[in-house]
Amino acid sequence: MKDCGGHFHGKHLKRSLDYVMNPEKTQDGRLVGAINCQVDSAFEQMKATKRKFGKVDKRQGYHIILSFREDEVNPDMAFEITRRFVEEYLGKSYEAVYVVHDNTAHVHSHIVFNSVSFVDGKKYRYEKGDWAKYIQPITNNLCQEYGLSIIDVGSKEKEHESYKDWSEYREGSFVWADMIKRDLDSCILQAGNNEQFLELLSDKGYEVKQGKYLAVKPQGMTRFRRCKTLGDMYSDEAIRERIEKEDISFYREQQKEVQPVLCKCKVRRYRRAKMSGLQKRYYAKLYRIGKLKKKPYSQVWKYKEDIRKMHKLQEEYLFLVNHDIHSAEELVSVISSLTDKRKEVSAEKSRIYKARERSRELFDIADDMKELEPAEKSFLQGDEFFTDEHLQWETLKQKLLSQGYSLEEVEALRKHYKEEYSKACAKERAVFKELNIGKSIWKSLIPDSVSDGKDAQYNKETIRDRKEQPER
């Protein structure tokens, strides 16, 4: 978080702390913790540390996000893992606030910490590669301890490939590239020189940036695209050469070289409706004044916000229909029912999690036996080199038998808990989504003076107060 300058140097740090500690995302503050400071006064304590060492400007703080695989952890486990990570990585030198957000399908945690150490006043410095050297190994060790998925730090090539795929998806390269190349070809064909080529691009609605490489940006695209990345035919030198060589006659010559191929196909033809004389005159007039210009390749970007609003309204409409809601009182009743249902589902999920934790010792023994399994197979085939591993295997096997389980039964039990926990998480997400839609409808009904930007109280008194307000 950089310094915003001016008289309030910690503005971005304060905003980040307020965002991560949002009660709606942290179960009313239950999933909020801090180290080396108090939650309620974290920003003031961080600011006091900066003043103590005379470092109130420049970098104000840092924000780390830990994301877990969907349905793999519950909020309490994520909170415990995050707490241990913060204690190990930041606990000796920095004030930090850590929270868990469970309002999305993927449970994730946020860590916001001061850029200045309260011990010696030194500023935290992140160097390139620190993530792979220090941060990821700590999270991997914690996730292994809790039986969660880990990230392979060494797979840098895969990491770069996945970022490239993500970047292309975000920028819509798979959509924009063909359109940009088609427009570039058209402008090259019409232009007599480079200046005319750039003017034609501008007329088509492109923003053009000429630096070391020529880059263009059509309407709706968020970043400039270098032309040379579209292929060898679109580098700066290639474009200039094509402007000099290519014209209509050039393409006609190219077409002559292509051998024609006869294709047979049956096409059902429809007669086009004929226009009257008046219609033809009106159509020609529209064409002359520019009303019939060809539309751009895609107009979807203009309506993205409208589409989002339409989906939201559709969800709210289906919510009202599915729950047969005809009045504000019925809406309040449904919200109350969904709130109770969410608590029940959360309680069921916690019950499954606790039951699974009670069998943690069995699972740990089974994991140890899984590691020894290759050695045990080799021993049974006559390789006495693995005698020690065989003895360990027998010891672990007796431990399971003493508790009335075999290795296969423990694995079946683990699979059962995993499936039950996944079902409970799916139910909780479904109820949470329905509850959010109901709250959204309710907030659109009550005036700002009642809500005051805070959670509304869903009761009959609020409804009565709303009805008694005079019409304007």
Side-chain angles (χ1 to χ4, degrees):
M1 285 160 281
K2 294 183 178 180
D3 181 18
C4 65
H7 63 284
F8 190 3
H9 292 281
K11 180 179 179 181
H12 296 321
L13 177 60
K14 179 68 165 61
R15 186 176 295 170
S16 296
L17 289 169
D18 291 342
Y19 167 75
V20 300
M21 291 192 289
N22 186 345
E24 293 183 357
K25 301 179 180 182
T26 58
Q27 296 185 8
D28 293 329
R30 189 179 72 84
L31 300 176
V32 178
I35 188 168
N36 300 321
C37 62
Q38 300 296 321
V39 173
D40 296 335
S41 58
F43 175 70
E44 287 73 16
Q45 289 179 259
M46 292 181 185
K47 189 165 59 174
T49 299
K50 295 178 186 295
R51 289 174 177 170
K52 177 182 177 181
F53 294 100
K55 297 181 179 180
V56 296
D57 57 349
K58 297 183 179 179
R59 184 76 65 179
Q60 296 295 304
Y62 290 84
H63 188 172
I64 297 176
I65 300 175
L66 304 181
S67 183
F68 301 90
R69 182 172 291 179
E70 185 175 355
D71 294 339
E72 198 173 49
V73 297
N74 63 4
D76 292 329
M77 181 188 290
F79 188 75
E80 178 65 17
I81 293 173
T82 305
R83 179 188 65 79
R84 293 183 58 184
F85 169 80
V86 173
E87 288 179 352
E88 184 172 351
Y89 186 61
L90 303 168
K92 297 179 180 179
S93 303
Y94 297 95
E95 299 143 325
V97 173
Y98 56 92
V99 306
V100 170
H101 286 181
D102 64 345
N103 61 316
T104 62
H106 287 80
V107 175
H108 60 281
S109 58
H110 295 263
I111 303 163
V112 177
F113 63 97
N114 196 356
S115 60
V116 180
S117 170
F118 68 90
V119 177
D120 52 14
K122 290 184 178 180
K123 278 208 165 186
Y124 175 88
R125 184 175 179 85
Y126 179 85
E127 299 289 351
K128 185 177 180 180
D130 282 358
W131 171 83
K133 289 181 181 178
Y134 308 112
I135 298 176
Q136 193 60 52
I138 297 175
T139 58
N140 280 351
N141 291 336
L142 291 172
C143 288
Q144 281 182 333
E145 184 177 339
Y146 285 85
L148 306 179
S149 303
I150 64 173
I151 296 177
D152 185 6
V153 180
S155 57
K156 290 186 178 180
E157 293 182 0
K158 291 183 179 180
E159 176 189 339
H160 292 166
E161 289 177 2
S162 63
Y163 172 79
K164 182 180 178 182
D165 294 341
W166 169 83
S167 180
E168 288 183 354
Y169 176 79
R170 185 186 66 171
E171 290 300 325
S173 302
F174 55 91
V175 173
W176 296 107
D178 291 340
M179 182 186 75
I180 295 173
K181 286 194 288 187
R182 191 158 53 245
D183 289 339
L184 288 175
D185 291 337
S186 173
C187 293
I188 289 171
L189 187 64
Q190 299 176 59
N193 53 48
N194 193 58
E195 288 72 20
Q196 291 181 5
F197 168 72
L198 298 178
E199 289 178 3
L200 289 169
L201 277 178
S202 299
D203 292 342
K204 286 182 177 290
Y206 281 80
E207 293 184 40
V208 181
K209 184 169 65 174
Q210 285 187 292
K212 185 177 180 181
Y213 302 102
L214 176 65
V216 297
K217 184 176 76 170
Q219 292 181 358
M221 194 168 175
T222 58
R223 292 186 178 183
F224 280 88
R225 178 75 182 267
R226 287 182 179 177
C227 295
K228 73 183 188 72
T229 63
L230 298 170
D232 296 336
M233 295 180 62
Y234 300 95
S235 64
D236 293 6
E237 297 78 8
I239 289 176
R240 292 179 184 275
E241 291 178 3
R242 290 178 60 189
I243 291 174
E244 294 178 1
K245 294 180 180 179
E246 296 181 13
D247 53 19
I248 298 296
S249 60
F250 173 83
Y251 278 96
R252 286 174 180 170
E253 292 175 3
Q254 294 291 326
Q255 291 175 356
K256 289 179 182 179
E257 298 176 1
V258 179
Q259 294 296 329
V261 179
L262 294 176
C263 299
K264 294 182 179 180
C265 61
K266 293 183 179 180
V267 179
R268 186 175 181 180
R269 300 186 180 277
Y270 296 90
R271 289 189 177 184
R272 180 180 297 177
K274 294 183 179 180
M275 291 189 293
S276 65
L278 180 62
Q279 289 174 331
K280 289 180 180 179
R281 290 176 59 189
Y282 184 72
Y283 186 89
K285 186 176 180 179
L286 289 176
Y287 182 81
R288 284 194 297 273
I289 64 177
K291 294 294 184 181
L292 297 178
K293 287 184 179 180
K294 189 175 180 181
K295 292 184 178 180
Y297 181 73
S298 173
Q299 296 287 317
V300 175
W301 60 274
K302 290 183 178 180
Y303 313 111
K304 184 168 64 175
E305 185 63 22
D306 294 334
I307 293 172
R308 187 190 65 80
K309 291 179 180 178
M310 182 192 71
H311 284 307
K312 182 182 177 182
L313 291 174
Q314 184 184 31
E315 286 181 345
E316 293 178 350
Y317 166 75
L318 292 175
F319 176 86
L320 296 175
V321 172
N322 293 336
H323 294 281
D324 195 23
I325 298 173
H326 301 281
S327 63
E329 289 84 351
E330 292 178 354
L331 175 61
V332 171
S333 177
V334 171
I335 292 175
S336 178
S337 176
L338 288 173
T339 303
D340 295 337
K341 188 175 180 181
R342 185 193 175 191
K343 291 179 181 179
E344 293 175 2
V345 175
S346 297
E348 177 66 15
K349 191 175 73 170
S350 298
R351 184 192 64 78
I352 297 172
Y353 173 74
K354 290 176 181 177
R356 185 176 63 179
E357 287 302 305
R358 285 196 292 269
S359 302
R360 177 62 59 185
E361 183 181 355
L362 295 174
F363 298 151
D364 292 340
I365 296 174
D367 291 338
D368 293 339
M369 292 182 70
K370 281 288 185 182
E371 293 181 4
L372 294 171
E373 191 171 11
E376 175 66 13
K377 288 181 179 179
S378 298
F379 178 83
L380 295 176
Q381 293 173 0
D383 192 346
E384 295 184 358
F385 178 80
F386 295 102
T387 302
D388 293 340
E389 286 76 5
H390 169 69
L391 295 175
Q392 294 177 23
W393 171 277
E394 291 296 330
T395 302
L396 295 171
K397 183 178 180 181
Q398 291 302 321
K399 284 185 179 180
L400 286 183
L401 291 175
S402 64
Q403 299 188 44
Y405 291 94
S406 63
L407 179 60
E408 293 75 15
E409 291 173 340
V410 172
E411 291 300 326
L413 183 64
R414 192 207 299 264
K415 183 179 179 181
H416 167 73
Y417 281 135
K418 184 176 181 180
E419 292 175 352
E420 291 297 316
Y421 188 76
S422 297
K423 292 178 182 177
C425 289
K427 289 181 182 178
E428 186 181 43
R429 286 197 304 272
V431 175
F432 185 81
K433 182 179 179 181
E434 288 282 289
L435 184 59
N436 276 348
I437 295 174
K439 288 181 178 180
S440 175
I441 298 173
W442 172 255
K443 288 180 180 179
S444 65
L445 293 177
I446 61 175
D448 294 337
S449 59
V450 175
S451 64
D452 195 23
K454 301 179 181 179
D455 290 343
Q457 297 296 324
Y458 309 104
N459 51 42
K460 294 181 179 179
E461 286 74 11
T462 306
I463 298 171
R464 191 180 302 114
D465 293 341
R466 178 179 178 272
K467 288 182 176 179
E468 291 174 358
Q469 289 183 356
E471 294 183 359
R472 296 180 181 178

